Amino acid sequence: MKKRTWLLLGSGGVLLLAGLASGSWMVTETALQATSDREFCSSCHTMDAFVASYDQDVHGGQNPQGLRADCADCHLPHDSPANYFVQKGLFGLKAGWGQVVSLVFEPDWLTSLEQRNDFLYDSACLNCHAALEHAPEQSPAAAFGHRTYFAPDNALSCADCHPHVGHKDLRAHLAGDALPTTTNEE
């Protein structure tokens, strides 16, 4: 009798832990997804120029397939789930604090563009462009550049050669000189 009781309690405990783990994972995954897209990121007023330039970019859906990359697809590392999760938390804290500070001090985004490698991750680029090293349909110049990037002694990042990736005419948007935005949603 005691053996059966312990077996039932043990089985119930394992099922309870599995249910809690699964439920926690679902809640975490839902929260990660809900805080990774354009709609969430555009809720901050300091992101207006970034959202407008993203909407006009190929990564913002201006491509024949209408595919869009979420903000976290480019602005968080994709080298490991643990690093992604930690960096997302740190980035969220930093962005939240930035919104508070921006009420008093307007960010100098044009100067910050020079630090774009702090905001873009090669692992994020390669998450979608994994076959880039051997892609057959690229110009000779692009093929040379990509072979150079994948060489063992490379010190370049994707953003070094693609400084405007993800945000069409970002400098003009930040300076207030850009044309009005049109999106696929309109």
Side-chain angles (χ1 to χ4, degrees):
M1 181 82 165
K2 283 187 176 185
K3 192 174 186 179
R4 185 174 178 194
T5 303
W6 281 111
L7 184 59
L8 287 173
L9 285 174
S11 298
V14 168
L15 288 174
L16 179 64
L17 285 174
L20 287 172
S22 296
S24 296
W25 180 255
M26 286 188 281
V27 168
T28 301
E29 185 64 28
T30 301
L32 287 173
Q33 292 299 320
T35 59
S36 297
D37 62 9
R38 177 200 179 279
E39 286 69 32
F40 178 81
C41 295
S42 66
S43 65
C44 295
H45 72 279
T46 59
M47 293 290 110
D48 291 346
F50 295 94
V51 171
S53 63
Y54 162 81
D55 285 343
Q56 293 179 345
D57 190 78
V58 66
H59 288 88
Q62 298 302 319
N63 57 70
Q65 296 81 20
L67 298 174
R68 289 181 11 173
D70 283 335
C71 302
D73 291 337
C74 302
H75 294 289
L76 287 174
H78 292 263
D79 52 354
S80 77
N83 191 32
Y84 179 93
F85 188 73
V86 168
Q87 292 302 318
K88 183 161 180 65
L90 292 173
F91 190 81
L93 290 171
K94 186 177 176 183
W97 178 247
Q99 289 305 303
V100 172
V101 171
S102 73
L103 297 173
V104 179
F105 302 104
E106 186 65 30
D108 183 1
W109 292 118
L110 288 170
T111 301
S112 295
L113 290 178
E114 299 310 316
Q115 288 110 31
R116 67 184 165 273
N117 284 326
D118 295 340
F119 306 105
L120 295 168
Y121 296 88
D122 283 10
S123 62
C125 299
L126 295 173
N127 196 40
C128 294
H129 300 282
L132 189 59
E133 183 176 10
H134 304 291
E137 296 180 21
Q138 49 184 330
S139 70
F144 175 78
H146 293 140
R147 275 195 309 274
T148 303
Y149 173 81
F150 287 104
D153 59 344
N154 171 46
L156 294 173
S157 72
C158 297
D160 288 332
C161 295
H162 302 278
H164 306 290
V165 67
H167 297 275
K168 185 177 181 180
D169 299 326
L170 180 56
R171 285 188 184 278
H173 283 277
L174 289 169
D177 298 334
L179 296 173
T181 301
T182 58
T183 67
N184 287 342
E185 297 172 4
E186 295 176 2

